[in-house]
Amino acid sequence: MAQVQVTGITKYFGEVKVLDNVNLATRKHEFLVLLGPSGCGKTTLLRIIAGLERPTRGEVLIGGREVTGLPPRARNIAMVFQSYALYPHMTVFENISFPLRTQNMNRDAIQEKVAWAAGLFGIDRLLERKPRELSGGERQRVALARAIVRMPTVFLLDEPLSNLDAKLRASAREELQTFQKRIGITTIYVTHDQVEAMGLGNRIVVMDQGRVRQIGTPLQVYWEPADTFVATFVGSPPMNLVEQGEVLMGFRPEDFLPIEGREEEDVERFQFEVTWVENLGAERLVYGNMAFQSRNGRVVSRLAPNIRVSLEAGKTYIFAVPRLGIKLFDRNTGMLLRRVSGVGG
Amino acid sequence: MEGVEQAPVFSLRYVWEQERLLATVMIAPAVLYVVALIGFPFVLAIVYSLSDATTGDPALRLVGLRTFGLVLRDPVFLKALQNTFVFTLASQVLVLVLAKILALVLMEDFPGKRLVRFLILLPWTAPISLSAIGWLWIFDSVFSPIDWIARSLGLLGGPEALLGSEPNLYWLGRPFLAMASVILVQTWRILPLATVILLAGLTAIPRDILDAAQVDGAGFWRRLFQVIMPMLLPVMSIAFLFGFVFTFTDMTVVYVLTRGGPVNSTQVLASWAFFKGIEAGDLAQGAAVALFFFPALAGVTTLILLVARRAEVS
Ligand SMILES: Nc1ncnc2c1ncn2[C@@H]1O[C@H](COP(=O)(O)OP(=O)(O)O)[C@@H](O)[C@H]1O
Ligand SMILES: [Mg+2]
């Protein structure tokens, strides 16, 4: 049974359609990531699941029970806000215990649960402090502890790492995942950062302009993007797209490599005119044009450091893509076309 | 070369860069204002209160604390002191409660919200002496519309009626009702400002925090008392302070509605100082009565600023 299921969710703010017929269902113990650019409706969808916003159309089911019209407190969900939303006038202890106090739990049980949640995130020694006396990382842990303390059915997280600096973010990501595995609570995690999504999610829901573009595992989303939006949103640098008659041909930069030493593989060859080489240490990014293309032929190749071929701007080389790495998209709709063999080049 | 580098001593630029001089010049008007309009009358009041000056004989003969002795032995003064606290506290508590409710209502989205906001602010824009005349009619001993409604509901004027068998309540003619009337009008008068202050405070509470409280399972009352009120405490204490100081020292409503009557039952310090000092011409006693504002207001102000500060720091 799906812990969270939303069917046909459409949401208007006034005249503006912010969500358009969104359907998704989480699996038990799953870490589901909602990924999409800023403004695509991720927060709105999360708020609808939490009950903070009412959908214009559609239904929300939590644990198999329809909760569409119910207020947040009737849903037993927990949410971590992007701003953390800690209560500024309460100590850390009072913050974490707040969801328990609303259930009129007795004092001893509250003590015990707060100690457990605080221990889980290593913030035991901060319990007497006020939020203003905490660092960004500590606040984030308090917010997580407050969310987890009453063991909700579902855990909703809205860009919880975006206020941390890059270094903290990496370790917080790791902790978050270990913690979720240990507790096993179904989690919906919102982010606009595709690296975060790829690293954290059991499955990723890619959204754009209020619509779900694809739901799949990180590998599916990366290697079998459902359309050109997903192809170019996921991956850095994104998938190359070049026009070829009625279709768009797509391939990943790391699949687009010099021909040397790969002659016997099943590959498609291209003339590649290099315009610029960017050496980033761990990899080289090579920018240039497909020779057969007059327009929209700019592509990029990503070379691992073990590929030592020397490449110079201004010269043309033979590059190749494995046939399996080539995706074809409809030029008008952007949708992935089923595999067609024999791509001319 | 030397001459070029050294600026002429009295160039405009040189004066401009003398920060101390500039600061003194810029702050001077404010200091002058405070000295002329607050400091001077304050000192004058102290001097008068230590004399026996009257409007008929304004010559200053210092008589020490004798005037204070006279004032303190006057039963009307003690009544006025007590009334001032009743009048101020009752109206300000009412204002806070009502303003809080109004502000919460105005935070919600509903059709006609702008119109309601406008209507609530209206009393603030009308001159009080003008609107008090409206209230005079509402509390009129014969034509009071409140009495009229009560009569037509059978609550007043009949032999068995709840509010008495007389045809009218005589709002301004009975001590208790007169006090209730001036409190009501003062409440009505301060309410708009307090509402706007609280509304600003409410708007400043991040939506995420209110949402978090909902998700954490808090119902309306718990959100109100455990999240909104504590976060609003600094703003509420400032609103209370404004209303308190304003009401404590004000005599307009009393003067227009009851002139302190009946039999001084709505007399407050401000009106009593006015009647004594100006209308009866006893400058010394008037000044002495007015000086009683000082310790009361200083005390209340300190207390409330401390509360606001504590709420902010902790
Ligand atoms: N309360 C609201 N009223 C009107 N428009 C809103 C409201 N909340 C969000 N929006 C609009 O809905 C769109 C989606 O917002 P949001 O769900 O916050 O996007 P995301 O979280 O993906 O960045 C945005 O264009 C935003 O401006
Ligand atoms: Mg968002």
Side-chain angles (χ1 to χ4, degrees):
Chain A
M1 175 188 63
Q3 291 292 50
V4 177
Q5 187 177 359
V6 308
T7 46
I9 293 282
T10 297
K11 173 72 182 174
Y12 283 87
F13 281 120
E15 298 286 292
V16 187
K17 194 192 258 185
V18 174
L19 291 175
D20 186 2
N21 191 25
V22 172
N23 295 287
L24 58 88
T26 63
R27 299 179 184 148
K28 200 139 199 150
H29 308 311
E30 182 174 38
F31 199 116
L32 186 72
V33 175
L34 293 183
L35 171 68
S38 189
C40 73
K42 307 179 297 288
T43 298
T44 307
L45 181 57
L46 211 60
R47 290 171 59 83
I48 286 175
I49 295 172
L52 292 166
E53 210 87 66
R54 285 191 81 132
T56 312
R57 279 195 294 279
E59 295 185 336
V60 179
L61 280 77
I62 293 180
R65 183 170 68 113
E66 208 212 308
V67 294
T68 318
L70 299 182
R73 55 200 293 235
R75 301 186 179 202
N76 193 30
I77 29 114
M79 184 158 172
V80 174
F81 294 79
Q82 190 169 355
S83 61
Y84 306 145
L86 299 179
Y87 308 118
H89 56 289
M90 298 184 194
T91 63
V92 169
F93 180 89
E94 289 164 339
N95 263 282
I96 300 178
S97 62
F98 190 76
L100 304 176
R101 281 183 281 148
T102 63
Q103 301 176 335
N104 297 319
M105 191 178 278
N106 75 51
R107 209 177 263 269
D108 291 340
I110 288 180
Q111 283 284 353
E112 191 183 318
K113 294 217 167 202
V114 172
W116 167 77
L120 206 57
F121 293 100
I123 47 173
D124 326 51
R125 61 196 172 79
L126 305 176
L127 289 177
E128 293 313 314
R129 297 223 199 141
K130 290 276 169 75
R132 76 173 74 220
E133 301 161 330
L134 303 176
S135 71
E138 289 165 344
R139 283 180 204 177
Q140 183 237 354
R141 284 149 190 265
V142 174
L144 287 169
R146 181 178 70 184
I148 207 64
V149 73
R150 69 191 153 134
M151 288 303 260
T153 357
V154 191
F155 204 30
L156 306 175
L157 298 138
D158 192 358
E159 313 215 11
L161 306 187
S162 63
N163 287 335
L164 301 182
D165 58 54
K167 216 167 159 186
L168 262 180
R169 218 179 294 172
S171 61
R173 211 152 63 204
E174 185 193 338
E175 268 177 39
L176 204 59
Q177 203 175 35
T178 349
F179 145 78
Q180 196 266 348
K181 282 221 180 79
R182 183 135 55 105
I183 306 288
I185 294 180
T186 307
T187 301
I188 301 182
Y189 182 101
V190 162
T191 180
H192 66 265
D193 179 348
Q194 45 105 11
V195 178
E196 226 168 87
M198 297 293 286
L200 280 172
N202 295 128
R203 285 189 306 155
I204 298 178
V205 179
V206 187
M207 290 179 61
D208 182 42
Q209 298 184 2
R211 252 174 263 161
V212 172
R213 295 309 187 104
Q214 186 172 7
I215 303 182
T217 64
L219 289 182
Q220 280 168 348
V221 166
Y222 193 81
W223 292 111
E224 304 283 337
D227 61 16
T228 52
F229 172 80
V230 178
T232 51
F233 190 73
V234 176
S236 164
M239 184 177 265
N240 293 306
L241 289 176
V242 289
E243 272 182 40
Q244 236 191 8
E246 281 308 296
V247 298
L248 287 171
M249 178 174 63
F251 48 87
R252 290 279 170 199
E254 56 271 35
D255 273 348
F256 185 57
L257 302 173
I259 187 70
E260 278 87 348
R262 307 165 66 215
E263 285 88 351
E264 67 285 1
E265 285 176 53
D266 184 15
V267 293
E268 199 74 48
R269 291 157 193 249
F270 301 97
Q271 300 267 326
F272 179 51
E273 183 198 351
V274 175
T275 55
W276 182 33
V277 180
E278 200 175 29
N279 199 332
L280 301 178
E283 62 188 23
R284 264 189 300 172
L285 296 181
V286 185
Y287 299 84
N289 295 305
M290 303 288 268
F292 69 89
Q293 269 285 346
S294 50
R295 65 190 177 101
N296 199 11
R298 283 197 66 75
V299 291
V300 54
S301 151
R302 182 159 133 191
L303 303 183
N306 61 343
I307 301 175
R308 298 230 161 72
V309 185
S310 93
L311 297 164
E312 280 171 49
K315 294 199 175 155
T316 300
Y317 301 86
I318 308 244
F319 269 52
V321 185
R323 252 179 241 285
L324 282 172
I326 295 180
K327 307 288 157 210
L328 297 180
F329 301 93
D330 186 299
R331 208 180 69 174
N332 299 315
T333 63
M335 299 304 288
L336 180 71
L337 299 170
R338 290 296 118 214
R339 278 216 66 75
V340 193
S341 55
V343 185
Chain B
M1 283 305 282
E2 291 249 284
V4 177
E5 279 176 18
Q6 211 146 25
V9 177
F10 285 111
S11 80
L12 193 61
R13 195 185 163 78
Y14 177 80
V15 173
W16 192 248
E17 281 172 1
Q18 295 299 300
E19 283 190 15
R20 291 186 66 124
L21 183 67
L22 198 66
T24 314
V25 170
M26 305 256 283
I27 215 164
V31 173
L32 216 66
Y33 173 87
V34 171
V35 168
L37 291 173
I38 298 173
F40 180 65
F42 185 61
V43 171
L44 201 62
I46 293 178
V47 172
Y48 271 137
S49 69
L50 297 173
S51 76
D52 63 356
T54 61
T55 42
D57 177 17
L60 278 178
R61 262 184 318 278
L62 295 186
V63 294
L65 295 174
R66 202 187 75 192
T67 316
F68 282 97
L70 286 177
V71 166
L72 281 173
R73 274 195 298 277
D74 184 348
V76 180
F77 168 77
L78 295 176
K79 181 76 183 155
L81 188 63
Q82 186 194 341
N83 283 345
T84 306
F85 277 101
V86 171
F87 175 60
T88 308
L89 286 175
S91 59
Q92 291 322 298
V93 168
L94 268 177
V95 162
L96 268 196
V97 173
L98 293 177
K100 177 82 215 212
I101 294 171
L102 271 178
L104 282 175
V105 169
L106 290 179
M107 283 292 284
E108 298 296 318
D109 267 319
F110 56 89
K113 171 171 160 172
R114 279 165 188 277
L115 183 71
V116 174
R117 277 193 184 194
F118 171 74
L119 288 178
I120 282 175
L121 267 176
L122 212 53
W124 192 248
T125 61
I128 177 65
S129 48
L130 208 82
S131 38
I133 292 173
W135 284 103
L136 265 181
W137 171 69
I138 289 179
F139 295 132
D140 190 276
S141 58
V142 178
F143 301 110
S144 164
I146 308 176
D147 294 357
W148 184 82
I149 289 169
R151 269 198 307 275
S152 58
L153 290 176
L155 295 173
L156 184 68
E160 297 282 296
L162 193 66
L163 296 174
S165 56
E166 291 176 60
N168 283 293
L169 279 170
Y170 308 109
W171 287 93
L172 302 176
R174 293 174 172 169
F176 179 79
L177 284 182
M179 186 48 110
S181 302
V182 290
I183 287 172
L184 183 71
V185 176
Q186 184 70 9
T187 303
W188 169 84
R189 192 180 167 204
I190 306 288
L191 190 57
L193 180 69
T195 307
V196 171
I197 293 178
L198 291 195
L199 199 56
L202 273 181
T203 318
I205 297 180
R207 187 173 88 160
D208 274 2
I209 290 189
L210 301 177
D211 287 346
Q214 278 205 56
V215 172
D216 285 344
F220 175 79
W221 295 109
R222 191 184 291 271
R223 288 206 300 282
L224 184 62
F225 285 108
Q226 294 189 4
V227 179
I228 296 177
M229 296 276 257
M231 290 184 73
L232 213 54
L233 194 62
V235 170
M236 284 196 345
S237 50
I238 295 300
F240 185 81
L241 179 63
F242 273 16
F244 189 94
V245 171
F246 191 82
T247 304
F248 202 86
T249 57
D250 192 67
M251 55 172 272
T252 322
V253 172
V254 167
Y255 187 81
V256 174
L257 286 188
T258 65
R259 309 198 110 234
V263 216
N264 292 318
S265 61
T266 58
Q267 197 71 266
V268 289
L269 281 184
S271 59
W272 185 233
F274 178 78
F275 288 131
K276 265 275 177 206
I278 310 298
E279 300 214 327
D282 193 335
L283 286 178
Q285 286 206 27
V289 170
L291 275 179
F292 276 89
F293 286 146
F294 183 66
L297 290 185
V300 170
T301 308
T302 314
L303 191 78
I304 292 181
L305 287 182
L306 277 179
V307 169
R309 214 180 116 84
R310 260 201 55 179
E312 223 160 274
V313 170
S314 59

